[in-house]
Amino acid sequence: MATKVLDITKEHCPMTFVKTKIELSKLNEGDILEVLLAEGEPLDNVPRNAKEQGYNVLSVEHVEGTTHKVIIKK
């Protein structure tokens, strides 16, 4: 179960990862952030950047239409 849900489906890079990183910084170690985002650049960049920053990307799933869900563990 996600600790926090962040909807950045209307955001564009680089704000998608900036907002994701801000939310992750508010969480405790072991907490889960569920990020809803659009396909394309956000879907490519957010999981990659999260891994580069040392976070654990648990899954990337298609939700509906162009919306995807990325589950990140701090």
Side-chain angles (χ1 to χ4, degrees), residues 14-74:
M15 288 310 296
T16 51
F17 189 65
V18 170
K19 290 194 174 197
T20 301
K21 193 170 174 185
I22 289 169
E23 286 305 317
L24 283 165
S25 74
K26 296 177 186 175
L27 299 178
N28 295 316
E29 287 297 319
D31 284 351
I32 305 288
L33 179 64
E34 178 180 308
V35 185
L36 297 172
L37 44 69
E39 63 187 11
E41 270 192 288
L43 184 58
D44 294 338
N45 294 337
V46 169
R48 187 185 71 237
N49 289 334
K51 286 178 188 168
E52 288 172 359
Q53 298 277 325
Y55 297 108
N56 187 359
V57 177
L58 301 178
S59 69
V60 178
E61 305 167 25
H62 178 253
V63 178
E64 64 178 325
T66 60
T67 303
H68 290 72
K69 173 171 62 175
V70 179
I71 307 294
I72 304 169
K73 183 175 183 181
K74 182 169 182 180

